[in-house]
Structure formats: C-alpha cells, structure tokens
Amino acid sequence: MTIDELKERGLIVYECISGSKAYGLDVPGSDTDIKGVFVLPQRDFYSFEYLPQVADATNDTVYYELGRFLELLKKNNPNMLEMLGTPPTKVLFRHPLLNDLHPELFLSKRCKDTFGGFAFTQIKKARGLNKKIVNPVDKKRKTILAFCYVLHGQGSLSLEQWLVKNNLRQEQCGLVRVPHAKDIYGLFVGDEYQGILKKENATSVRLSSIPKGEVPRAYLYFNKDGYATYCKDYRDYWAWVEKRNDARYENNIEHGKNYDAKNMMHTFRLLDMAVEILEKGEVIVERPNREELLVIRSGEWEYDALIERAHKKMEEVTAAYKTSTLPEQPDEAAINTLLVELRSAFYQVTPWKLEE
C-alpha cells in the first residue's frame, strides 16, 4: 500500500508537520517532514497483510498504523510523543475520534532512557560524520594487493613495493599456503604461475601449483581482516555520500568543526525535553530556547565542549528522574483497552470504506 492509496481510500486519521519545522528550528532550505497515522481496513488487519507503516522513498513522509502508533507511544518513543504533541498550528488533519488522545496518557519515567538514549545516539551520528570528513575514502576501490606484505629482513615491504624493487609483476607470482601459519604464503616467481590476483574484485589471493622441490623467493602475508574492514568502510562511506544532504554537509564543512552540528542540536533538544517531561509531565515540541539551539546548529561550539555539556545535561535528566512523579511505566492495560475502543469506533465509521 502506498501513501497515495492511503489518501485515496481515506485511511489517514492524523497528519502533521514534524521535524525542524515543528520544533521551530527550521532554517532556509529545511525540508518539510510529514508524519501521520492511518487505520488499516478490517480485512487487512485480520489477515496476514498487517502493515505497520508506510513511507515515501526519502522517509520524509511516514504514516504509522494505529496499533503501531500506540505501541510506540506506550514505549515513550520520542518521535511518536512529539508527533502526538505537535502544536495545533502544525496539525494538518485530526479525526474527531482522536481528540482525546494526548501525550500525557503515555508518559512515564521510561522517557529518561528513550529521550536520553536517543540523544546520545545523535552524538554518535555527529562523531560519525567527523570520521567521514577526516577520513574520506577514494572512489577507486583498492584490490587485495594493497593488503599483501612480503617479509623482508626484520620487517616487511608492501607487495607493491616489493614487486617494483624486484622488477616483477603480480602475474609472475605463485602462492602456496604455509601450513599452521594463518594467511602466510610461500611466494614463488615464474612465468608459469597463476598470479596473485584472479580478478579486480577478488576477496582472496589466488593459489598456484608449485613443482615439488621449488624454493620460495619470499613469504607473503595477506591481511585478510584489514581488507574486510576496508570493504565495509568503503561501502559505508559511498552509501553515505549517495544519501547525504549536500546542503547540510556543506554547512558542516563550512563551520570547520568536523561534526554534524544538526545532530548535536537535536542532542540538546532531546535532553531538554526529557527534563521537561520528568519535571512537568509535558511534551513541549516547539522549543522555547530556539536561539540557543540554533547557535549549536551553526557550529559555534567545539565538539569536546558540547560533549562535556551533554553529560552535565544528562545528570540533570537523572536528577529529574529521581524526583519525578510520573509512573515507572504507562498503564499498558488501559492503553490496550483504548486501542480496542478506537479501532472498534473507526471500523463503525462507514464513510471511510474501511471494510474494502
């Protein structure tokens, strides 16, 4: 089922603007994110075709099935609580049957771990960008030859250096395993051998048949684990390049701090919200400290100073947790009853054609 089908069949029961524009933290060029709730037709709900969510290709627009929505609310999922607590000016549509559905029905001390944990995930993402900026990966992919080394004296030479030094090509080399020595090979030279690299994207060295009594010219070590790590880093880096928001990336490069400033801004937004929920029992989506958060987004802070500040803020969250009057967890039985009542009511509303 697609988003267009949800709309055509009138299955959407809640829709709002989310993300930076809901927080009041948008800047020129910010995307408009849309989130919402839909109700599956009865037939789909009772069948194997249960669909928990529907999203567009970029995940800028996401709709959650009613059951999934309440399940995540019960867990104090930050995105769901923010969605339900969206300011009225950012709510695009809300079915009357959802009018009595408020964040306060779901709030519990779980928010310490959900909001706090999500906040520190943003820190990891911010540092992850730092790693990618400082350590870019060349587009031309290395072959296993770059991870082969020839034992030389009390040390080693890269295979490529050794070949140049001996005026040889890898195609003139033959390898045979050395028993009881992991990833160590006897290296033989001769035009009759198979070579070390079978093809450009080979993931292991090529072995040759060596005549009995032949003496190896040298011994070669293939850093197989290092090559596997490189391949993962290569895939991750270029997948990130393909998917990254170029405007956001250029902004992070421009401020020169080598971290994702938007991720760090959301770290403090989440920690602030955790304190507010624990102390006041409220989900305040539109941020009252907009200017302070936008300064963080602009990259004016040093990364280490932000980390220190984040840990202090987490101490505030912990202190608020200890004195909070919120329950340890929501009333799951009451939420389950609410879900049954809502779904039953929706299925009785015939204009939606939910039976189709």
Side-chain angles (χ1 to χ4, degrees), residues 43-105:
R43 183 182 180 280
D44 291 352
F45 176 67
Y46 291 142
S47 73
F48 290 125
E49 299 175 18
Y50 182 76
L51 190 66
Q53 70 181 61
V54 178
D56 64 5
T58 61
N59 275 326
D60 288 336
T61 301
V62 185
Y63 295 89
Y64 301 87
E65 209 282 327
L66 178 67
R68 179 61 172 160
F69 181 51
L70 265 67
E71 177 189 11
L72 292 173
L73 283 170
K74 180 184 68 175
K75 295 178 179 179
N76 277 209
N77 177 281
N79 287 330
M80 299 304 104
L81 286 172
E82 291 164 9
M83 189 169 128
L84 189 56
T86 298
T89 56
K90 303 296 182 181
V91 175
L92 304 176
F93 173 70
R94 183 175 187 137
H95 191 279
L97 286 175
L98 290 181
N99 283 345
D100 293 329
L101 197 64
H102 303 293
E104 291 73 24
L105 296 171

Short mmCIF file of all heavy atoms in Angstrom, two decimals, residues 43-105:
data_model
loop_
_atom_site.label_atom_id
_atom_site.label_comp_id
_atom_site.label_asym_id
_atom_site.label_seq_id
_atom_site.Cartn_x
_atom_site.Cartn_y
_atom_site.Cartn_z
N ARG A 43 -10.33 -6.03 6.86
CA ARG A 43 -9.88 -7.25 6.19
C ARG A 43 -8.36 -7.38 6.27
O ARG A 43 -7.83 -8.45 6.57
CB ARG A 43 -10.34 -7.25 4.73
CG ARG A 43 -9.96 -8.52 3.98
CD ARG A 43 -10.41 -8.45 2.52
NE ARG A 43 -10.05 -9.66 1.82
CZ ARG A 43 -8.83 -9.94 1.36
NH1 ARG A 43 -7.85 -9.07 1.54
NH2 ARG A 43 -8.58 -11.07 0.73
N ASP A 44 -7.64 -6.28 6.02
CA ASP A 44 -6.17 -6.30 6.08
C ASP A 44 -5.70 -6.52 7.52
O ASP A 44 -4.72 -7.23 7.76
CB ASP A 44 -5.59 -5.00 5.54
CG ASP A 44 -5.80 -4.86 4.05
OD1 ASP A 44 -6.25 -5.84 3.42
OD2 ASP A 44 -5.52 -3.78 3.51
N PHE A 45 -6.39 -5.90 8.46
CA PHE A 45 -5.98 -6.02 9.86
C PHE A 45 -6.11 -7.47 10.35
O PHE A 45 -5.27 -7.97 11.09
CB PHE A 45 -6.84 -5.10 10.73
CG PHE A 45 -6.56 -5.23 12.20
CD1 PHE A 45 -5.34 -4.83 12.72
CD2 PHE A 45 -7.51 -5.75 13.06
CE1 PHE A 45 -5.07 -4.95 14.07
CE2 PHE A 45 -7.26 -5.87 14.41
CZ PHE A 45 -6.03 -5.47 14.92
N TYR A 46 -7.16 -8.15 9.92
CA TYR A 46 -7.40 -9.52 10.37
C TYR A 46 -6.58 -10.54 9.57
O TYR A 46 -6.51 -11.71 9.95
CB TYR A 46 -8.88 -9.88 10.24
CG TYR A 46 -9.77 -9.14 11.21
CD1 TYR A 46 -11.03 -8.69 10.83
CD2 TYR A 46 -9.36 -8.89 12.53
CE1 TYR A 46 -11.85 -8.02 11.72
CE2 TYR A 46 -10.17 -8.21 13.41
CZ TYR A 46 -11.42 -7.78 13.00
OH TYR A 46 -12.23 -7.11 13.89
N SER A 47 -5.96 -10.13 8.48
CA SER A 47 -5.25 -11.06 7.60
C SER A 47 -3.75 -11.03 7.89
O SER A 47 -3.28 -10.37 8.82
CB SER A 47 -5.50 -10.69 6.14
OG SER A 47 -4.78 -9.51 5.81
N PHE A 48 -3.00 -11.73 7.04
CA PHE A 48 -1.54 -11.71 7.13
C PHE A 48 -0.96 -10.42 6.56
O PHE A 48 0.26 -10.25 6.51
CB PHE A 48 -0.94 -12.90 6.38
CG PHE A 48 -1.19 -14.22 7.03
CD1 PHE A 48 -1.80 -15.25 6.32
CD2 PHE A 48 -0.81 -14.45 8.34
CE1 PHE A 48 -2.04 -16.48 6.92
CE2 PHE A 48 -1.04 -15.67 8.94
CZ PHE A 48 -1.66 -16.70 8.24
N GLU A 49 -1.80 -9.52 6.10
CA GLU A 49 -1.34 -8.33 5.38
C GLU A 49 -1.18 -7.11 6.29
O GLU A 49 -1.23 -5.98 5.82
CB GLU A 49 -2.32 -8.01 4.24
CG GLU A 49 -2.42 -9.13 3.21
CD GLU A 49 -3.49 -8.87 2.16
OE1 GLU A 49 -3.90 -7.70 2.03
OE2 GLU A 49 -3.90 -9.81 1.48
N TYR A 50 -1.02 -7.35 7.60
CA TYR A 50 -0.87 -6.21 8.51
C TYR A 50 0.34 -5.38 8.10
O TYR A 50 1.44 -5.88 7.87
CB TYR A 50 -0.70 -6.66 9.96
CG TYR A 50 -0.59 -5.48 10.91
CD1 TYR A 50 -1.72 -4.75 11.26
CD2 TYR A 50 0.64 -5.06 11.39
CE1 TYR A 50 -1.64 -3.65 12.09
CE2 TYR A 50 0.73 -3.95 12.22
CZ TYR A 50 -0.41 -3.25 12.57
OH TYR A 50 -0.32 -2.13 13.37
N LEU A 51 0.13 -4.08 8.01
CA LEU A 51 1.16 -3.15 7.55
C LEU A 51 1.41 -2.13 8.65
O LEU A 51 0.55 -1.29 8.94
CB LEU A 51 0.67 -2.45 6.27
CG LEU A 51 1.67 -1.61 5.49
CD1 LEU A 51 2.77 -2.50 4.91
CD2 LEU A 51 0.94 -0.89 4.35
N PRO A 52 2.59 -2.15 9.30
CA PRO A 52 2.82 -1.25 10.43
C PRO A 52 3.08 0.20 10.05
O PRO A 52 2.79 1.11 10.82
CB PRO A 52 4.05 -1.85 11.12
CG PRO A 52 4.75 -2.61 10.05
CD PRO A 52 3.69 -3.12 9.13
N GLN A 53 3.65 0.45 8.87
CA GLN A 53 3.89 1.82 8.46
C GLN A 53 4.07 1.91 6.95
O GLN A 53 4.38 0.93 6.28
CB GLN A 53 5.12 2.42 9.17
CG GLN A 53 6.46 1.87 8.73
CD GLN A 53 7.60 2.50 9.51
OE1 GLN A 53 7.68 2.39 10.72
NE2 GLN A 53 8.50 3.15 8.80
N VAL A 54 3.86 3.12 6.45
CA VAL A 54 4.03 3.40 5.02
C VAL A 54 4.84 4.68 4.91
O VAL A 54 4.57 5.67 5.62
CB VAL A 54 2.67 3.59 4.32
CG1 VAL A 54 2.86 3.93 2.84
CG2 VAL A 54 1.82 2.32 4.45
N ALA A 55 5.86 4.69 4.04
CA ALA A 55 6.73 5.86 3.91
C ALA A 55 7.04 6.12 2.45
O ALA A 55 6.91 5.23 1.60
CB ALA A 55 8.03 5.65 4.70
N ASP A 56 7.47 7.36 2.17
CA ASP A 56 7.93 7.64 0.82
C ASP A 56 9.39 7.23 0.68
O ASP A 56 10.01 6.71 1.63
CB ASP A 56 7.73 9.12 0.46
CG ASP A 56 8.57 10.07 1.33
OD1 ASP A 56 9.38 9.58 2.15
OD2 ASP A 56 8.42 11.30 1.19
N ALA A 57 9.97 7.44 -0.49
CA ALA A 57 11.32 6.94 -0.77
C ALA A 57 12.38 7.57 0.12
O ALA A 57 13.40 6.95 0.43
CB ALA A 57 11.67 7.17 -2.24
N THR A 58 12.16 8.80 0.56
CA THR A 58 13.17 9.52 1.35
C THR A 58 12.90 9.45 2.86
O THR A 58 13.69 9.95 3.64
CB THR A 58 13.21 11.01 0.94
OG1 THR A 58 11.92 11.59 1.20
CG2 THR A 58 13.54 11.16 -0.54
N ASN A 59 11.78 8.85 3.25
CA ASN A 59 11.36 8.80 4.65
C ASN A 59 11.04 10.18 5.22
O ASN A 59 11.00 10.36 6.44
CB ASN A 59 12.39 8.10 5.54
CG ASN A 59 12.21 6.59 5.53
OD1 ASN A 59 11.10 6.09 5.45
ND2 ASN A 59 13.31 5.88 5.62
N ASP A 60 10.81 11.16 4.34
CA ASP A 60 10.39 12.48 4.81
C ASP A 60 8.91 12.47 5.18
O ASP A 60 8.46 13.33 5.94
CB ASP A 60 10.64 13.54 3.72
CG ASP A 60 12.12 13.85 3.55
OD1 ASP A 60 12.88 13.62 4.51
OD2 ASP A 60 12.52 14.30 2.46
N THR A 61 8.18 11.53 4.61
CA THR A 61 6.76 11.39 4.91
C THR A 61 6.51 9.97 5.39
O THR A 61 6.80 9.01 4.65
CB THR A 61 5.90 11.69 3.68
OG1 THR A 61 6.17 13.03 3.22
CG2 THR A 61 4.41 11.58 4.00
N VAL A 62 6.02 9.81 6.61
CA VAL A 62 5.82 8.49 7.19
C VAL A 62 4.48 8.45 7.92
O VAL A 62 4.14 9.37 8.67
CB VAL A 62 6.94 8.13 8.21
CG1 VAL A 62 6.76 6.69 8.69
CG2 VAL A 62 8.32 8.32 7.60
N TYR A 63 3.72 7.38 7.68
CA TYR A 63 2.45 7.17 8.37
C TYR A 63 2.52 5.83 9.11
O TYR A 63 2.98 4.83 8.55
CB TYR A 63 1.28 7.16 7.39
CG TYR A 63 1.07 8.48 6.70
CD1 TYR A 63 1.72 8.77 5.51
CD2 TYR A 63 0.22 9.45 7.24
CE1 TYR A 63 1.55 9.99 4.87
CE2 TYR A 63 0.04 10.67 6.61
CZ TYR A 63 0.72 10.94 5.42
OH TYR A 63 0.54 12.15 4.81
N TYR A 64 2.03 5.82 10.35
CA TYR A 64 2.06 4.62 11.19
C TYR A 64 0.64 4.09 11.37
O TYR A 64 -0.29 4.88 11.60
CB TYR A 64 2.68 4.94 12.56
CG TYR A 64 4.09 5.47 12.47
CD1 TYR A 64 4.33 6.83 12.29
CD2 TYR A 64 5.18 4.60 12.54
CE1 TYR A 64 5.62 7.32 12.20
CE2 TYR A 64 6.48 5.08 12.45
CZ TYR A 64 6.69 6.44 12.27
OH TYR A 64 7.97 6.92 12.16
N GLU A 65 0.50 2.79 11.30
CA GLU A 65 -0.81 2.19 11.56
C GLU A 65 -1.16 2.42 13.03
O GLU A 65 -0.29 2.47 13.89
CB GLU A 65 -0.77 0.70 11.25
CG GLU A 65 -2.13 0.13 10.80
CD GLU A 65 -3.10 -0.11 11.93
OE1 GLU A 65 -2.63 -0.46 13.04
OE2 GLU A 65 -4.32 0.06 11.73
N LEU A 66 -2.44 2.57 13.29
CA LEU A 66 -2.90 2.93 14.64
C LEU A 66 -2.29 2.05 15.73
O LEU A 66 -1.82 2.56 16.76
CB LEU A 66 -4.43 2.83 14.69
CG LEU A 66 -5.06 3.14 16.05
CD1 LEU A 66 -4.88 4.60 16.41
CD2 LEU A 66 -6.54 2.75 16.04
N GLY A 67 -2.27 0.73 15.52
CA GLY A 67 -1.73 -0.17 16.53
C GLY A 67 -0.26 0.06 16.77
O GLY A 67 0.21 0.06 17.92
N ARG A 68 0.48 0.25 15.69
CA ARG A 68 1.92 0.51 15.81
C ARG A 68 2.16 1.85 16.51
O ARG A 68 3.08 1.99 17.33
CB ARG A 68 2.57 0.51 14.42
CG ARG A 68 4.05 0.81 14.40
CD ARG A 68 4.83 -0.23 15.17
NE ARG A 68 6.27 -0.04 15.00
CZ ARG A 68 7.18 -0.52 15.83
NH1 ARG A 68 6.81 -1.23 16.89
NH2 ARG A 68 8.46 -0.34 15.61
N PHE A 69 1.34 2.84 16.20
CA PHE A 69 1.46 4.16 16.80
C PHE A 69 1.32 4.09 18.32
O PHE A 69 2.16 4.60 19.07
CB PHE A 69 0.40 5.07 16.18
CG PHE A 69 0.40 6.48 16.68
CD1 PHE A 69 1.57 7.23 16.70
CD2 PHE A 69 -0.77 7.08 17.12
CE1 PHE A 69 1.58 8.55 17.15
CE2 PHE A 69 -0.78 8.39 17.57
CZ PHE A 69 0.40 9.12 17.58
N LEU A 70 0.27 3.42 18.79
CA LEU A 70 0.06 3.32 20.23
C LEU A 70 1.11 2.42 20.89
O LEU A 70 1.49 2.66 22.04
CB LEU A 70 -1.35 2.81 20.54
CG LEU A 70 -2.37 3.93 20.81
CD1 LEU A 70 -2.62 4.74 19.56
CD2 LEU A 70 -3.67 3.37 21.37
N GLU A 71 1.58 1.42 20.17
CA GLU A 71 2.63 0.57 20.72
C GLU A 71 3.90 1.39 21.00
O GLU A 71 4.53 1.25 22.06
CB GLU A 71 2.95 -0.56 19.74
CG GLU A 71 4.09 -1.47 20.19
CD GLU A 71 4.53 -2.44 19.11
OE1 GLU A 71 4.10 -2.29 17.95
OE2 GLU A 71 5.32 -3.35 19.43
N LEU A 72 4.26 2.27 20.07
CA LEU A 72 5.45 3.10 20.24
C LEU A 72 5.22 4.19 21.28
O LEU A 72 6.13 4.54 22.03
CB LEU A 72 5.85 3.72 18.90
CG LEU A 72 6.36 2.72 17.85
CD1 LEU A 72 6.58 3.40 16.51
CD2 LEU A 72 7.67 2.07 18.31
N LEU A 73 4.01 4.72 21.35
CA LEU A 73 3.69 5.69 22.39
C LEU A 73 3.85 5.05 23.77
O LEU A 73 4.38 5.67 24.70
CB LEU A 73 2.26 6.20 22.22
CG LEU A 73 2.03 7.23 21.12
CD1 LEU A 73 0.54 7.45 20.91
CD2 LEU A 73 2.71 8.56 21.44
N LYS A 74 3.38 3.82 23.90
CA LYS A 74 3.49 3.10 25.17
C LYS A 74 4.95 2.98 25.60
O LYS A 74 5.27 3.01 26.80
CB LYS A 74 2.87 1.72 25.00
CG LYS A 74 2.91 0.84 26.22
CD LYS A 74 2.34 -0.54 25.90
CE LYS A 74 3.24 -1.30 24.93
NZ LYS A 74 2.79 -2.69 24.68
N LYS A 75 5.85 2.86 24.62
CA LYS A 75 7.28 2.74 24.92
C LYS A 75 7.94 4.09 25.14
O LYS A 75 9.14 4.17 25.35
CB LYS A 75 7.98 2.00 23.78
CG LYS A 75 7.53 0.56 23.63
CD LYS A 75 8.22 -0.11 22.46
CE LYS A 75 7.79 -1.56 22.30
NZ LYS A 75 8.45 -2.23 21.14
N ASN A 76 7.15 5.18 25.06
CA ASN A 76 7.69 6.55 25.19
C ASN A 76 8.68 6.88 24.07
O ASN A 76 9.69 7.56 24.29
CB ASN A 76 8.32 6.78 26.56
CG ASN A 76 7.30 7.14 27.63
OD1 ASN A 76 7.59 7.83 28.60
ND2 ASN A 76 6.07 6.67 27.47
N ASN A 77 8.40 6.38 22.88
CA ASN A 77 9.23 6.70 21.72
C ASN A 77 9.19 8.21 21.47
O ASN A 77 8.10 8.79 21.33
CB ASN A 77 8.70 5.94 20.51
CG ASN A 77 9.46 6.26 19.24
OD1 ASN A 77 9.23 7.29 18.62
ND2 ASN A 77 10.35 5.38 18.86
N PRO A 78 10.35 8.87 21.41
CA PRO A 78 10.36 10.33 21.25
C PRO A 78 9.62 10.82 20.01
O PRO A 78 8.85 11.79 20.08
CB PRO A 78 11.86 10.66 21.17
CG PRO A 78 12.52 9.57 21.94
CD PRO A 78 11.71 8.35 21.64
N ASN A 79 9.82 10.17 18.87
CA ASN A 79 9.16 10.63 17.65
C ASN A 79 7.65 10.58 17.76
O ASN A 79 6.95 11.48 17.28
CB ASN A 79 9.61 9.77 16.46
CG ASN A 79 11.04 10.08 16.03
OD1 ASN A 79 11.51 11.19 16.19
ND2 ASN A 79 11.73 9.09 15.49
N MET A 80 7.12 9.52 18.39
CA MET A 80 5.67 9.39 18.50
C MET A 80 5.09 10.39 19.49
O MET A 80 4.03 11.00 19.24
CB MET A 80 5.30 7.97 18.93
CG MET A 80 5.75 6.87 17.97
SD MET A 80 5.17 7.06 16.26
CE MET A 80 6.68 7.64 15.46
N LEU A 81 5.77 10.59 20.63
CA LEU A 81 5.28 11.56 21.61
C LEU A 81 5.33 12.97 21.03
O LEU A 81 4.41 13.77 21.25
CB LEU A 81 6.12 11.48 22.89
CG LEU A 81 5.85 10.25 23.77
CD1 LEU A 81 6.87 10.17 24.90
CD2 LEU A 81 4.43 10.28 24.34
N GLU A 82 6.37 13.29 20.30
CA GLU A 82 6.46 14.61 19.66
C GLU A 82 5.35 14.77 18.62
O GLU A 82 4.74 15.84 18.50
CB GLU A 82 7.82 14.76 18.99
CG GLU A 82 8.98 14.86 19.95
CD GLU A 82 10.32 14.63 19.28
OE1 GLU A 82 10.37 14.56 18.03
OE2 GLU A 82 11.32 14.52 20.01
N MET A 83 5.09 13.71 17.89
CA MET A 83 4.05 13.75 16.87
C MET A 83 2.68 14.02 17.49
O MET A 83 1.92 14.87 17.02
CB MET A 83 4.05 12.40 16.14
CG MET A 83 3.19 12.32 14.92
SD MET A 83 3.61 10.79 14.09
CE MET A 83 2.00 10.09 13.93
N LEU A 84 2.38 13.30 18.57
CA LEU A 84 1.09 13.49 19.23
C LEU A 84 1.01 14.85 19.92
O LEU A 84 -0.07 15.41 20.06
CB LEU A 84 0.86 12.36 20.24
CG LEU A 84 -0.53 12.28 20.87
CD1 LEU A 84 -1.61 12.17 19.80
CD2 LEU A 84 -0.61 11.11 21.84
N GLY A 85 2.18 15.39 20.32
CA GLY A 85 2.19 16.68 20.99
C GLY A 85 2.44 17.86 20.07
O GLY A 85 2.72 18.97 20.53
N THR A 86 2.33 17.64 18.77
CA THR A 86 2.57 18.70 17.79
C THR A 86 1.65 19.90 18.03
O THR A 86 0.45 19.72 18.28
CB THR A 86 2.33 18.16 16.36
OG1 THR A 86 3.26 17.11 16.11
CG2 THR A 86 2.51 19.25 15.32
N PRO A 87 2.18 21.12 17.99
CA PRO A 87 1.34 22.31 18.18
C PRO A 87 0.18 22.33 17.18
O PRO A 87 0.36 21.90 16.02
CB PRO A 87 2.30 23.47 17.92
CG PRO A 87 3.66 22.91 18.16
CD PRO A 87 3.59 21.47 17.77
N PRO A 88 -0.99 22.79 17.58
CA PRO A 88 -2.17 22.80 16.69
C PRO A 88 -1.91 23.46 15.33
O PRO A 88 -2.49 23.05 14.32
CB PRO A 88 -3.21 23.58 17.49
CG PRO A 88 -2.82 23.35 18.92
CD PRO A 88 -1.32 23.29 18.92
N THR A 89 -1.04 24.48 15.31
CA THR A 89 -0.77 25.17 14.04
C THR A 89 -0.03 24.28 13.04
O THR A 89 0.00 24.60 11.85
CB THR A 89 0.07 26.44 14.30
OG1 THR A 89 1.28 26.07 15.00
CG2 THR A 89 -0.71 27.45 15.11
N LYS A 90 0.55 23.19 13.51
CA LYS A 90 1.29 22.29 12.63
C LYS A 90 0.51 21.00 12.35
O LYS A 90 1.01 20.13 11.64
CB LYS A 90 2.65 21.94 13.26
CG LYS A 90 3.53 23.14 13.58
CD LYS A 90 3.93 23.91 12.34
CE LYS A 90 4.86 25.07 12.71
NZ LYS A 90 5.24 25.86 11.53
N VAL A 91 -0.68 20.88 12.93
CA VAL A 91 -1.51 19.70 12.66
C VAL A 91 -2.33 19.94 11.41
O VAL A 91 -3.10 20.91 11.33
CB VAL A 91 -2.43 19.39 13.86
CG1 VAL A 91 -3.38 18.23 13.51
CG2 VAL A 91 -1.60 19.04 15.09
N LEU A 92 -2.18 19.08 10.43
CA LEU A 92 -2.87 19.24 9.16
C LEU A 92 -4.25 18.59 9.16
O LEU A 92 -5.16 19.08 8.51
CB LEU A 92 -2.01 18.63 8.03
CG LEU A 92 -0.59 19.18 7.92
CD1 LEU A 92 0.19 18.43 6.85
CD2 LEU A 92 -0.61 20.68 7.62
N PHE A 93 -4.39 17.50 9.89
CA PHE A 93 -5.69 16.83 9.98
C PHE A 93 -5.70 15.96 11.22
O PHE A 93 -4.72 15.29 11.54
CB PHE A 93 -5.94 15.96 8.75
CG PHE A 93 -7.18 15.11 8.86
CD1 PHE A 93 -8.44 15.69 8.83
CD2 PHE A 93 -7.09 13.73 9.03
CE1 PHE A 93 -9.60 14.92 8.96
CE2 PHE A 93 -8.24 12.95 9.16
CZ PHE A 93 -9.49 13.55 9.12
N ARG A 94 -6.85 15.98 11.92
CA ARG A 94 -7.02 15.13 13.10
C ARG A 94 -8.47 14.69 13.16
O ARG A 94 -9.38 15.53 13.28
CB ARG A 94 -6.64 15.90 14.37
CG ARG A 94 -6.71 15.07 15.65
CD ARG A 94 -6.19 15.87 16.83
NE ARG A 94 -6.09 15.04 18.03
CZ ARG A 94 -5.06 15.09 18.87
NH1 ARG A 94 -4.06 15.91 18.64
NH2 ARG A 94 -5.04 14.31 19.93
N HIS A 95 -8.70 13.40 13.06
CA HIS A 95 -10.06 12.89 13.12
C HIS A 95 -10.62 13.13 14.51
O HIS A 95 -9.90 12.97 15.52
CB HIS A 95 -10.10 11.40 12.78
CG HIS A 95 -11.47 10.88 12.57
ND1 HIS A 95 -12.28 10.52 13.62
CD2 HIS A 95 -12.20 10.68 11.44
CE1 HIS A 95 -13.44 10.12 13.15
NE2 HIS A 95 -13.42 10.20 11.82
N PRO A 96 -11.90 13.48 14.62
CA PRO A 96 -12.50 13.76 15.93
C PRO A 96 -12.33 12.63 16.94
O PRO A 96 -12.22 12.89 18.15
CB PRO A 96 -13.98 13.97 15.60
CG PRO A 96 -13.97 14.48 14.19
CD PRO A 96 -12.84 13.77 13.51
N LEU A 97 -12.29 11.38 16.47
CA LEU A 97 -12.15 10.27 17.41
C LEU A 97 -10.78 10.26 18.11
O LEU A 97 -10.59 9.56 19.09
CB LEU A 97 -12.37 8.94 16.70
CG LEU A 97 -13.83 8.62 16.34
CD1 LEU A 97 -13.92 7.35 15.53
CD2 LEU A 97 -14.68 8.49 17.61
N LEU A 98 -9.83 11.07 17.60
CA LEU A 98 -8.51 11.15 18.24
C LEU A 98 -8.37 12.38 19.12
O LEU A 98 -7.29 12.63 19.67
CB LEU A 98 -7.41 11.18 17.16
CG LEU A 98 -7.16 9.89 16.38
CD1 LEU A 98 -6.02 10.10 15.39
CD2 LEU A 98 -6.82 8.74 17.31
N ASN A 99 -9.43 13.14 19.26
CA ASN A 99 -9.34 14.39 20.01
C ASN A 99 -8.94 14.20 21.47
O ASN A 99 -8.36 15.09 22.09
CB ASN A 99 -10.66 15.17 19.94
CG ASN A 99 -10.84 15.87 18.59
OD1 ASN A 99 -9.87 16.01 17.84
ND2 ASN A 99 -12.05 16.29 18.29
N ASP A 100 -9.29 13.06 22.04
CA ASP A 100 -8.96 12.82 23.45
C ASP A 100 -7.66 12.04 23.62
O ASP A 100 -7.33 11.60 24.72
CB ASP A 100 -10.11 12.06 24.13
CG ASP A 100 -11.36 12.91 24.24
OD1 ASP A 100 -11.23 14.14 24.37
OD2 ASP A 100 -12.47 12.35 24.19
N LEU A 101 -6.93 11.90 22.53
CA LEU A 101 -5.64 11.19 22.60
C LEU A 101 -4.53 12.22 22.81
O LEU A 101 -4.24 13.03 21.93
CB LEU A 101 -5.42 10.42 21.29
CG LEU A 101 -4.37 9.31 21.28
CD1 LEU A 101 -4.76 8.19 22.24
CD2 LEU A 101 -4.19 8.75 19.87
N HIS A 102 -3.91 12.21 23.99
CA HIS A 102 -2.89 13.18 24.34
C HIS A 102 -1.63 12.48 24.85
O HIS A 102 -1.71 11.37 25.40
CB HIS A 102 -3.41 14.14 25.41
CG HIS A 102 -4.65 14.87 25.03
ND1 HIS A 102 -4.68 15.81 24.02
CD2 HIS A 102 -5.93 14.77 25.50
CE1 HIS A 102 -5.90 16.27 23.89
NE2 HIS A 102 -6.69 15.66 24.77
N PRO A 103 -0.46 13.13 24.74
CA PRO A 103 0.79 12.51 25.21
C PRO A 103 0.76 12.11 26.68
O PRO A 103 1.36 11.12 27.07
CB PRO A 103 1.84 13.61 24.96
CG PRO A 103 1.26 14.46 23.89
CD PRO A 103 -0.23 14.43 24.10
N GLU A 104 0.04 12.89 27.50
CA GLU A 104 0.02 12.64 28.94
C GLU A 104 -0.50 11.24 29.29
O GLU A 104 -0.20 10.70 30.35
CB GLU A 104 -0.84 13.69 29.64
CG GLU A 104 -0.25 15.10 29.64
CD GLU A 104 -0.32 15.77 28.27
OE1 GLU A 104 -1.19 15.39 27.46
OE2 GLU A 104 0.51 16.67 28.01
N LEU A 105 -1.29 10.64 28.39
CA LEU A 105 -1.81 9.29 28.63
C LEU A 105 -0.71 8.24 28.63
O LEU A 105 -0.88 7.15 29.15
CB LEU A 105 -2.85 8.93 27.55
CG LEU A 105 -4.12 9.78 27.52
CD1 LEU A 105 -4.94 9.44 26.28
CD2 LEU A 105 -4.94 9.54 28.78
#
